[in-house]
Amino acid sequence: MESSTGVLVIGGGSTGTGIARDLAMRGVDVTLVEKGNLTHGTTGRMHGLLHSGGRYAVSDQESAKECIIENRILRDIASHCVEMTGGLFVQRPQDSDEYFQKKLEGCRECDIPAEVLSPEEAREVEPYLATDIERAIKVPDGAIDPFRLCVANAVSTENHGGRIETHAPVTDVLLEDGEVVGVEVTHESGPGKRVHGNEGQTEKIYADHVVNAAGAWTGRIGDMAGVDIEVRPSKGVMTVMNARQVDTVINRCKPKGDADIIVPHETAAILGTTDEEVEDPEDYAEEQWEVDLMIEELKELVPILDESRTLRSFWGVRPLYEPPDTGTEDATDITRQFFLLDHDDRDDLPGMTTIVGGKFTTYRMMAEQLSDHVCERLGIDAECRTAEVPLPGSENTGVLDDAMDQFGLRSPIARRSKQRLGSRTEEVLDVDGPNPVVCQCEGVTRAELVDAIDQSGTDLNAVRLRTRASMGNCQGGFCSRAMADLLHPEYEEAIAREAYDELFQERWKGERHALWGEQLSQAMLNYALHATTLNADSDPARLGQDVDFAAFDGGESASAERTGTGADAVATDGGHDGD
Ligand SMILES: Cc1cc2nc3c(=O)[nH]c(=O)nc-3n(C[C@H](O)[C@H](O)[C@H](O)COP(=O)(O)OP(=O)(O)OC[C@H]3O[C@@H](n4cnc5c(N)ncnc54)[C@H](O)[C@@H]3O)c2cc1C
């Protein structure tokens, strides 16, 4: 199978989806390919902090300035993905006055609004701060939903005629006469609306230009093209607490160090992080001491964390880049700036540009610079409009309020639906018939889930990214089955089962790092519900046996079974009679 496009973008993280949107809005024919789901890489495994730039105001002022510029833009164009929580840099008794002062001055030099709060004022903002804190600097940090933001960028790309292809890993970069002319992908999509090609089928996609936005994997794409890209992947752990112990981003005001930030995120608070170089962005140790360190260190700032319930932990890998011969030994010293590598100038290989490094917060700026560059290469004269045109869902906040009134929505559930859907609230919630809550922890209604299934088909992890269903306290224990039920009857039973397994497995990956206290009880309950009560692990339908559905009602075969006369009857608990 062969196809062609103007620009082929590799990578469905913030950088890739941002680039695809930017180019599509300039009228460029663009195709994005992603090996997993959107946000499959680092973007789906970050802290969710919309940086004010305060974090880099001493160590990396270039990044700090970029962050505050983009912080202001994203509040405008992606209001339904951003919660302006505000942030505090908190000084503890052992933290130096000199550094506090440097941070304050650094913020002001970088145009980051910064105000000093006394300990009493800081505790008025955040009552659970430790009683011995000395003072704090208030900055405009926020929380941002990476999943919603990337999906909005992808939807905007499609609205402008672009093609988004998930579950399509690039397996080769196509070269002709010393020039990159496209890529080869393998389609791994399953059945249902996820189908774009046939599973296992390869597709050669020819392009006028290829953009390598594969994050920590950019080096691997470089290898396929025969060029060296010195990515220095660095892992960091994040631990999710079951409630928002704080409503403001809390940073420890000290030079770089592990476990120095808490980000309130939707219904949870995320503790982080570490910074340790790894060889392979997909294969590295996930160690318990890293999780323990988060709680041990951060409880000094917010003591109530010690009594709180840990839901799960996850790790992400920073796509840090180090220009050749820099020779930085400590990963924490590698710059957070982004780099645009024109392989024609750099390696004498026309047809491909790589973009690597940077922050999630600066994704739009990265996309703008990259798109300017590609347009110049291709002789396209079109302005970037992404700083002004809102993302889908963020167009008109007045529409939201009208929709709230129209639907009489005042409950917390409605408020959260509105936050998630933005200006699409009216369109999505306007359904015939009842609209119950399916995911109780996150307050996600059936209408939202059906809408997400319409967009992403049978991939329940993609539905999760769009809605947050299954990401709350029960970690899918109660709702994932109900989510799978919504796939039927449009999709066959076997597809719904597979989708359910994939979703449940994805949740388990993070939960297994939090098996103590109440979360252990929750995990045991989830096991009891799914493996025992629902018999998910030995369900005859999964084992390829025929289910005698008549045995479930009062029919003839049911009574035959009750008396033990049914031939090879399957009991209602799924086991064979007498097992
Ligand atoms: C622990 C941690 C915390 C962080 N916290 C924050 C924060 O709070 N705020 C902030 O602004 N930034 C934060 N960052 C940084 C931020 O997450 C990253 O800079 C950003 O997400 C990188 O996005 P990306 O699109 O460049 O890479 P990715 O999101 O990794 O996207 C690259 C994509 O390419 C795909 N890909 C790879 N190989 C192939 C292939 N062969 N074929 C097709 N697709 C392929 C991958 O699956 C992936 O989805 C954090 C990073 C880490 C590690």
Side-chain angles (χ1 to χ4, degrees):
M1 184 180 172
E2 283 185 11
S3 62
S4 66
T5 188
V7 178
L8 184 286
V9 180
I10 307 171
S14 52
T15 312
T17 53
I19 292 167
R21 177 188 193 225
D22 190 324
L23 288 170
M25 283 173 67
R26 297 185 203 218
V28 177
D29 171 26
V30 61
T31 299
L32 180 146
V33 290
E34 160 57 52
K35 71 172 168 172
N37 224 323
L38 293 177
T39 77
H40 177 80
T42 310
T43 300
R45 293 151 181 276
M46 47 85 86
H47 229 130
L49 170 66
L50 178 66
H51 283 276
S52 62
R55 205 164 171 76
Y56 306 114
V58 179
S59 59
D60 188 350
Q61 292 207 339
E62 272 316 297
S63 293
K65 287 176 195 162
E66 289 170 1
C67 284
I68 187 65
I69 292 170
E70 291 302 305
N71 173 301
R72 291 186 172 118
I73 292 175
L74 290 180
R75 282 193 243 164
D76 265 0
I77 64 153
S79 57
H80 70 312
C81 304
V82 173
E83 182 189 354
M84 273 320 287
T85 58
L88 295 178
F89 280 87
V90 178
Q91 184 184 16
R92 302 216 59 239
Q94 57 271 55
D95 300 336
S96 94
D97 285 344
E98 194 195 340
Y99 186 77
F100 189 91
Q101 204 51 37
K102 271 194 189 164
K103 179 73 85 186
L104 186 62
E105 281 158 20
C107 285
R108 291 182 177 154
E109 283 157 18
C110 296
D111 190 29
I112 301 164
E115 182 192 341
V116 177
L117 302 187
S118 67
E120 295 73 30
E121 287 169 331
R123 263 196 304 279
E124 227 164 77
V125 178
E126 279 308 333
Y128 287 124
L129 281 177
T131 49
D132 63 353
I133 63 158
E134 305 255 301
R135 53 189 172 160
I137 304 171
K138 190 172 160 209
V139 292
D141 281 338
I144 186 158
D145 187 322
F147 308 113
R148 217 177 291 160
L149 187 109
C150 284
V151 169
N153 271 295
V155 168
S156 175
T157 305
E158 289 182 330
N159 291 346
H160 287 89
R163 174 184 173 198
I164 302 284
E165 199 71 45
T166 59
H167 306 281
V170 169
T171 46
D172 200 7
V173 172
L174 305 174
L175 301 170
E176 272 174 22
D177 302 326
E179 185 172 346
V180 174
V181 295
V183 299
E184 181 172 277
V185 299
T186 304
H187 290 283
E188 290 184 346
S189 45
K193 281 193 184 164
R194 271 163 59 183
V195 169
H196 299 288
N198 290 328
E199 195 166 354
Q201 186 180 39
T202 56
E203 180 180 355
K204 286 189 163 93
I205 308 177
Y206 290 94
D208 299 332
H209 202 86
V210 170
V211 172
N212 174 9
W217 294 264
T218 44
R220 304 246 167 114
I221 302 292
D223 292 345
M224 292 179 198
V227 294
D228 207 14
I229 303 169
E230 300 78 11
V231 186
R232 302 268 303 265
S234 155
K235 72 165 174 171
V237 65
M238 285 143 289
T239 293
V240 187
M241 309 309 284
N242 72 320
R244 283 167 69 117
Q245 286 80 10
V246 290
D247 282 324
T248 311
V249 175
I250 303 294
N251 302 269
R252 177 96 181 252
C253 192
K254 65 171 188 181
K256 67 183 182 186
D258 287 344
D260 60 358
I261 184 165
I262 308 170
V263 182
H265 217 280
E266 302 255 352
T267 50
I270 307 181
L271 318 185
T273 181
T274 43
D275 193 349
E276 197 183 324
E277 194 162 351
V278 294
E279 284 287 311
D280 184 334
E282 255 161 304
D283 185 15
Y284 50 84
E286 298 179 342
E287 295 177 74
Q288 189 61 42
W289 68 263
E290 300 176 88
V291 178
D292 296 343
L293 182 75
M294 294 305 112
I295 296 160
E296 281 307 307
E297 289 285 320
L298 285 163
K299 76 180 186 200
E300 288 189 22
L301 269 183
V302 179
I304 197 178
L305 288 174
D306 202 24
E307 299 158 32
S308 308
R309 170 175 168 192
T310 304
L311 285 187
R312 58 192 282 117
S313 286
F314 60 99
W315 280 254
V317 177
R318 296 173 188 81
L320 303 184
Y321 172 77
E322 171 128 313
D325 305 326
T326 313
T328 311
E329 290 196 359
D330 182 348
T332 62
D333 289 332
I334 300 174
T335 178
R336 266 49 180 167
Q337 281 172 26
F338 60 88
F339 295 83
L340 195 153
L341 313 178
D342 178 325
H343 294 292
D344 191 2
D345 292 347
R346 184 183 180 262
D347 307 296
D348 208 14
L349 181 69
M352 183 165 100
T353 305
T354 291
I355 185 153
V356 63
K359 308 292 301 169
F360 178 87
T361 303
T362 56
Y363 88 92
R364 196 213 58 83
M365 182 183 270
M366 294 165 71
E368 177 173 350
Q369 289 188 20
L370 187 285
S371 303
D372 282 350
H373 170 82
V374 169
C375 285
E376 196 189 312
R377 281 267 165 205
L378 297 180
I380 296 167
D381 183 18
E383 291 284 299
C384 173
R385 294 188 296 131
T386 57
E388 291 91 41
V389 182
L391 282 158
S394 216
E395 291 95 344
N396 182 350
T397 44
V399 172
L400 290 180
D401 297 331
D402 293 349
M404 289 293 280
D405 283 349
Q406 187 189 335
F407 291 102
L409 300 177
R410 260 170 215 93
S411 71
I413 300 291
R415 203 167 48 240
R416 286 181 52 72
S417 297
K418 178 192 132 167
Q419 279 162 0
R420 285 189 291 261
L421 292 164
S423 51
R424 297 189 60 243
T425 307
E426 187 174 356
E427 171 197 336
V428 176
L429 296 186
D430 187 10
V431 287
D432 294 332
N435 183 19
V437 173
V438 175
C439 166
Q440 311 286 342
C441 304
E442 293 292 326
V444 185
T445 60
R446 183 158 69 196
E448 278 178 81
L449 288 164
V450 168
D451 172 63
I453 291 168
D454 279 349
Q455 292 178 39
S456 51
T458 59
D459 184 344
L460 289 182
N461 275 305
V463 171
R464 169 176 70 81
L465 302 183
R466 283 165 167 78
T467 60
R468 280 189 71 81
S470 82
M471 290 169 85
N473 274 359
C474 86
Q475 290 288 296
F478 292 94
C479 60
S480 51
R481 187 91 177 187
M483 287 168 70
D485 281 349
L486 292 176
L487 296 174
H488 192 73
E490 193 179 341
Y491 299 100
E492 288 163 17
E493 184 196 332
I495 294 172
R497 284 175 182 279
E498 197 186 326
Y500 162 67
D501 280 350
E502 282 175 10
L503 176 67
F504 212 57
Q505 183 58 33
E506 187 59 36
R507 296 291 76 203
W508 172 244
K509 271 197 222 161
E511 269 181 281
R512 71 205 153 108
H513 299 287
L515 294 181
W516 65 86
E518 287 178 359
Q519 189 54 33
L520 176 59
S521 312
Q522 177 74 60
M524 290 308 295
L525 176 62
N526 290 353
Y527 174 75
L529 285 172
H530 291 272
T532 314
T533 314
L534 295 174
N535 201 21
D537 57 353
S538 55
D539 188 328
R542 282 172 190 265
L543 302 175
Q545 297 160 353
D546 288 336
V547 181
D548 180 4
F549 285 107
F552 287 77
D553 61 22
E556 196 183 321
S557 70
S559 43
E561 188 188 312
R562 272 197 296 277
T563 55
T565 55
D568 198 22
V570 177
T572 49
D573 67 356
H576 283 270
D577 213 22
D579 280 358

